[in-house]
Amino acid sequence: MAFTWCVRRSASRLASLCSTRMVRLRSISAVASRPSLAPTPSPFRPFALYSTAIDWMSSEQSLLRVIDSEINTALQIDDPDLDEETAPGSFPFKIEDNPGHQTVTLTREYKGEHIKVVVSMPSFDSDENDDEDDEDGHSNGSSIPLVVTVTKKSGLSLEFSCMAFPDEIAIDALSVCNQGSTLEDKLANEGPDFECLDENLKKTFYKYLEIRGVKASTTNFLHQYMMRKVKREYLLWLKNVKKFMEES
């Protein structure tokens, strides 16, 4: 009797426990299935993504159209390329011009000397008084920075920092350099302000450069050459930007 009573009691407790768990599971299922608690996708989200994509494509296409217009305009400018063959008959230098670089290098040999001229992009004077001369007597307009280096076989060299104006050259500084000289060494050997030198000494240095090919006819040609290089580099830059924009 006692054993039968224990079995019945255990079965009753097990049935009660199972019933309680089933009620809890039904409650959880009912709560989870309520419409108010289920995540509702926004009907505007796909439209927002589509609108953003359209704006992006429109911006890309607009930029490409402007770039194409600029490229076509640049190509319509009839500027024949210049080189040593189109230079004046007295132009003695070999031109080294690498696309994408902002400088051009001229080289030549003269009586055992190696002469190198590094020509930078022209700068433009935007002064309102274009017809007036500056304080040094140079006419306003475009100018080209030049660094002329004359090197002896021993490696010793003279370095002239110049500015080329239409029909004239102005020496700004002069330094004596050894092969492998650092910038500090060059500054230490720069010497006095060129404008403070004796007039005869200054004229002699200008004549020194002229004999080696750095003269007005050379720099006038370089003005034309560098102006064309400005356009070529701009066109190259536009094409590179377009290539980037077209890549997916």
Side-chain angles (χ1 to χ4, degrees), residues 6 23 50 62 64 69 79 85 132 140 144 146 159 204 217:
C6 289
V23 170
Y50 176 77
S62 176
L64 282 172
S69 176
D79 277 339
E85 296 181 359
E132 297 181 2
N140 292 320
I144 301 177
L146 307 175
E159 185 176 284
T204 303
S217 60

Side-chain angles (χ1 to χ4, degrees), residues 7-245:
V7 170
R8 289 178 179 175
R9 185 178 180 184
S10 298
S12 176
R13 291 180 62 185
L14 179 60
S16 176
L17 180 61
C18 290
S19 176
T20 302
R21 289 187 176 179
M22 288 296 294
V23 170
R24 288 180 180 176
L25 287 174
R26 290 194 188 98
S27 299
I28 293 173
S29 177
V31 171
S33 62
R34 287 181 184 176
S36 59
L37 297 179
T40 304
S42 171
F44 299 103
R45 184 172 179 79
F47 175 77
L49 293 175
Y50 176 77
S51 176
T52 302
I54 291 297
D55 291 343
W56 179 82
M57 292 177 61
S58 176
S59 174
E60 296 280 305
Q61 292 170 356
S62 176
L63 182 55
L64 282 172
R65 283 196 299 269
V66 174
I67 292 174
D68 280 333
S69 176
E70 283 290 299
I71 291 175
N72 291 332
T73 301
L75 290 174
Q76 289 173 4
I77 299 175
D78 186 17
D79 277 339
D81 289 337
L82 299 177
D83 53 25
E84 298 97 324
E85 296 181 359
T86 58
S90 59
F91 189 82
F93 293 97
K94 177 182 178 182
I95 300 176
E96 180 183 340
D97 183 1
N98 296 315
H101 291 194
Q102 298 298 302
T103 59
V104 170
T105 302
L106 312 180
T107 56
R108 71 167 299 197
E109 303 296 325
Y110 177 79
K111 294 184 178 180
E113 299 172 344
H114 178 72
I115 302 171
K116 181 175 74 171
V117 183
V118 178
V119 188
S120 299
M121 287 294 199
S123 58
F124 302 93
D125 189 349
S126 58
D127 193 353
E128 295 179 357
N129 300 319
D130 291 336
D131 296 332
E132 297 181 2
D133 292 346
D134 61 19
E135 295 178 357
D136 297 326
H138 303 129
S139 58
N140 292 320
S142 64
S143 58
I144 301 177
L146 307 175
V147 177
V148 183
T149 306
V150 182
T151 305
K152 297 288 188 179
K153 292 181 179 179
S154 64
L156 193 64
S157 62
L158 279 180
E159 185 176 284
F160 297 82
S161 296
C162 308
M163 191 66 71
F165 299 90
D167 299 320
E168 63 177 327
I169 302 170
I171 300 175
D172 294 328
L174 170 62
S175 59
V176 182
C177 309
N178 288 304
Q179 191 172 15
S181 295
T182 64
L183 179 60
E184 293 181 355
D185 295 333
K186 291 180 180 180
L187 292 175
N189 296 315
E190 195 172 60
D193 188 344
F194 189 81
E195 287 300 317
C196 296
L197 297 179
D198 178 78
E199 286 298 323
N200 289 330
L201 185 56
K202 288 193 290 186
K203 289 179 181 178
T204 303
F205 278 124
Y206 280 112
K207 189 66 177 179
Y208 179 88
L209 290 180
E210 181 181 348
I211 292 173
R212 285 154 180 79
V214 184
K215 51 188 177 180
S217 60
T218 300
T219 56
N220 285 345
F221 168 76
L222 288 176
H223 269 86
Q224 300 176 40
Y225 187 95
M226 296 306 289
M227 291 300 294
R228 284 165 172 77
K229 181 173 175 63
V230 169
K231 297 175 183 178
R232 291 198 307 271
E233 294 300 330
Y234 179 56
L235 182 59
L236 177 62
W237 177 80
L238 285 172
K239 290 180 177 179
N240 287 336
V241 174
K242 180 181 178 181
K243 180 180 178 181
F244 170 82
M245 298 301 298

